[in-house]
């Protein structure tokens, strides 16, 4: 029995379980305050920035449909009109179908939009967000579409938005707040826009 009984049975080594792809999440213009779980992108090499590049004019290194989520807080207002088109077109290209980006910008009627010398014209208001929709653009402003305007919009987003109000308005009644937001400068501070990429799966 000696050797035969002492022989160990060989067992197959199981195939390693594939690690699922971690969806990319990009934080544009993150500065030194990158969102947790996101890749930080800025054209200045602040501490914590992962990718230093100018996303307003350079081709992006990410593949089509490779990004699940993006974030751009107080970034878009630093780009001029055609740079915004480039940014949104590239954002649309890299997002997965249904992928989203939260964009936060100072309201056009807020002094926050005008104090920073690096902010670009025009300021951003709610009517801007309609241009991000291909169907709306072709029906109402075809001159802004890339098919007519070189460097124009070629994206197709569903945009939904809301806003933050000046803190002292919180104690006022809804009627007063609505009137203030419609008529008073600095009543609205920032717009919060969620862009959802309209793409076939």
């Amino acid at each position: 029995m000696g050797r035969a009984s002492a022989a160990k049975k060989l067992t197959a080594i199981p195939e390693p379980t594939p690690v699922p792809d971690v969806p990319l999440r990009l934080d544009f213009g993150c500065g030194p305050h990158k969102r947790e779980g996101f890749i930080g992108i800025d054209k200045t090499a602040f501490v914590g920035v992962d990718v230093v590049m100018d996303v307003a004019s350079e081709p992006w290194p990410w593949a089509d449909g490779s990004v699940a989520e993006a974030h751009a807080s107080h970034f878009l207002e630093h780009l001029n009109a055609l740079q915004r088109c480039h940014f949104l077109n590239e954002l649309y290209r890299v997002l997965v179908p249904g992928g989203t980006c939260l964009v936060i910008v100072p309201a056009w009627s807020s002094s926050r939009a005008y104090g920073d010398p690096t902010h670009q014209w025009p300021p951003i208001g709610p009517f801007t967000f309609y241009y991000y929709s291909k169907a709306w653009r072709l029906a109402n402003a075809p001159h802004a579409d890339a098919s007519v305007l070189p460097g124009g919009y070629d994206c197709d987003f569903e945009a939904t938005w809301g806003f933050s109000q000046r803190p002292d308005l919180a104690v006022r009644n809804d009627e007063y707040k609505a009137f203030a937001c419609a008529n008073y400068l600095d009543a609205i501070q920032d717009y919060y826009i969620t862009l959802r990429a309209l793409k076939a799966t």
Side-chain angles (χ1 to χ4, degrees), residues 63-159:
D64 295 4
S66 62
V67 176
E69 184 182 359
H71 186 256
S73 178
H74 291 278
F75 168 73
L76 204 60
E77 67 271 19
H78 293 271
L79 311 183
N80 67 37
L82 287 179
Q83 288 173 330
R84 293 173 193 173
C85 292
H86 174 80
F87 174 82
L88 288 158
N89 292 343
E90 283 289 88
L91 175 65
Y92 178 73
R93 179 183 66 77
V94 302
L95 281 174
V96 299
T100 60
C101 180
L102 175 62
V103 176
I104 305 170
V105 294
W108 70 270
S109 58
S110 169
S111 56
R112 295 156 65 98
Y114 304 96
D116 189 327
T118 65
H119 287 185
Q120 300 293 314
W121 190 265
I124 299 170
F127 203 75
T128 308
F129 315 139
Y130 290 105
Y131 284 79
Y132 305 161
S133 161
K134 185 84 168 173
W136 184 92
R137 195 167 61 242
L138 293 179
N140 299 281
H143 59 276
D145 191 77
S147 62
V148 176
L149 175 67
Y153 290 116
D154 195 31
C155 56
D156 191 11
F157 289 109
E158 175 187 75

